[in-house]
Amino acid sequence: MSSMNDKPVTLTIAGSDSGGGAGIQADLKTFTALRTFGTSAITCLTAQNPSGVTGILEVDADFLEKQISAVMDYFPVKAIKTGMLFSTSIIERTHSLLSARKKTLPFFLVIDPVMVATSGAKLLQDSAIDALLNRLIPLAELITPNLDEAEILCGKKIKSSSEMSDLAKDIFEKFGVPVLLKGGHLQNEKMALDILYDGKEIYKFEKPFVTGFYAHGTGCTYSSAITSYLALGNSLVEAVGNAKVYLHAAIEQAYTAGKDRTLNHTPKI
């Protein structure tokens, strides 16, 4: 019997960030802050901190399958996000599992097409790009590329926010999946603009740029916030809007941990 105290279950399939600011760690902090029960399946161990990645250890695909199955056999997962997937074998196995599960247990799937860390380290092998684009992305209810990732997705580079709507439409036309195009890399703009295109309407979400913090983990946090709000019953537009508010608060209320100011995953909203 359910009760008002029950929490929807969320799942992150992503890499572990030993520095705590991104990846699985950021996802689980966000899930908890937004009142969902977070579970995880780790694709890779990384040795990293906000300054850079010094090592990546890929998890065997069979063991990844055991993690995902252990969670989904027990919990009624409402929403899933993927982050760092790294290799073709991990992507293929994730696709196989999730496509089969979707037939019996409906869930939202948010794909953050993680390719390069803020520090510049490659988090997706070149050989795995085709598998991500052609196998996994078509399963999603939303993909959340930044502008660098969008260039890889559709081969177009933009220089101003005025071009973002057309680019979001191009990505949707290619994959048939709603897209949230994130404009945070356009540092010459006054506002951090994100464009959501669901195949019918363009929705714009913007907040003033905030400086003086390290951007490590913002993409992970944003996508896991959207995943949380979808699990809580928000529509896609509502989930993105609420996640944008949460992320902006996490940035504005950043605090010092180590050498840099880092995201506050439990901000006052």
Side-chain angles (χ1 to χ4, degrees), residues 87-125:
S87 72
T88 300
S89 62
I90 285 177
I91 293 170
E92 290 285 1
R93 190 64 59 92
T94 301
H95 168 269
S96 176
L97 288 166
L98 297 188
S99 60
R101 295 277 182 171
K102 263 185 172 288
K103 296 174 183 176
T104 58
L105 177 66
F107 55 82
F108 295 102
L109 176 60
V110 176
I111 293 179
D112 184 6
V114 175
M115 297 179 182
V116 180
T118 304
S119 62
K122 293 185 70 171
L123 302 180
L124 181 70
Q125 294 175 339

Side-chain angles (χ1 to χ4, degrees), residues 219-234:
C220 305
T221 299
Y222 200 177
S223 58
S224 54
I226 295 168
T227 304
S228 293
Y229 283 117
L230 288 171
L232 289 164
N234 284 197

Side-chain angles (χ1 to χ4, degrees), residues 232-252:
L232 289 164
N234 284 197
S235 70
L236 182 58
V237 176
E238 291 170 337
V240 173
N242 286 330
K244 180 76 169 179
V245 170
Y246 168 77
L247 177 63
H248 187 69
I251 292 171
E252 278 196 317

Side-chain angles (χ1 to χ4, degrees), residues 58-238:
E58 181 181 354
V59 170
D60 179 79
D62 288 340
F63 189 71
L64 175 65
E65 178 174 349
K66 289 181 179 180
Q67 294 179 74
I68 296 172
S69 296
V71 171
M72 300 193 76
D73 286 346
Y74 187 90
F75 297 99
V77 176
K78 294 285 188 182
I80 299 172
K81 68 150 288 188
T82 66
M84 177 186 180
L85 298 175
F86 192 63
S87 72
T88 300
S89 62
I90 285 177
I91 293 170
E92 290 285 1
R93 190 64 59 92
T94 301
H95 168 269
S96 176
L97 288 166
L98 297 188
S99 60
R101 295 277 182 171
K102 263 185 172 288
K103 296 174 183 176
T104 58
L105 177 66
F107 55 82
F108 295 102
L109 176 60
V110 176
I111 293 179
D112 184 6
V114 175
M115 297 179 182
V116 180
T118 304
S119 62
K122 293 185 70 171
L123 302 180
L124 181 70
Q125 294 175 339
D126 290 341
S127 58
I129 293 175
D130 283 347
L132 177 65
L133 271 55
N134 299 317
R135 297 285 282 166
L136 196 58
I137 283 178
L139 285 181
E141 276 68 48
L142 180 69
I143 54 176
T144 64
N146 60 35
L147 296 181
D148 294 333
E149 292 157 351
E151 183 179 357
I152 296 173
L153 292 180
C154 69
K156 295 183 179 180
K157 187 177 183 65
I158 69 171
K159 296 182 179 179
S160 77
S161 58
S162 62
E163 303 171 78
M164 288 178 62
S165 293
D166 286 342
L167 181 56
K169 290 179 179 179
D170 288 344
I171 295 172
F172 179 89
E173 290 301 319
K174 182 173 181 179
F175 298 104
V177 173
V179 56
L180 177 67
L181 183 61
K182 301 176 295 188
H185 287 191
L186 291 173
Q187 295 294 333
N188 57 327
E189 307 273 348
K190 292 182 179 179
M191 303 292 285
L193 172 68
D194 304 322
I195 297 288
L196 172 66
Y197 182 60
D198 63 0
K200 297 179 181 178
E201 300 287 339
I202 286 284
Y203 302 90
K204 297 183 178 182
F205 306 87
E206 58 183 4
K207 292 287 186 181
F209 268 113
V210 178
T211 58
F213 83 105
Y214 196 78
H216 183 66
T218 49
C220 305
T221 299
Y222 200 177
S223 58
S224 54
I226 295 168
T227 304
S228 293
Y229 283 117
L230 288 171
L232 289 164
N234 284 197
S235 70
L236 182 58
V237 176
E238 291 170 337

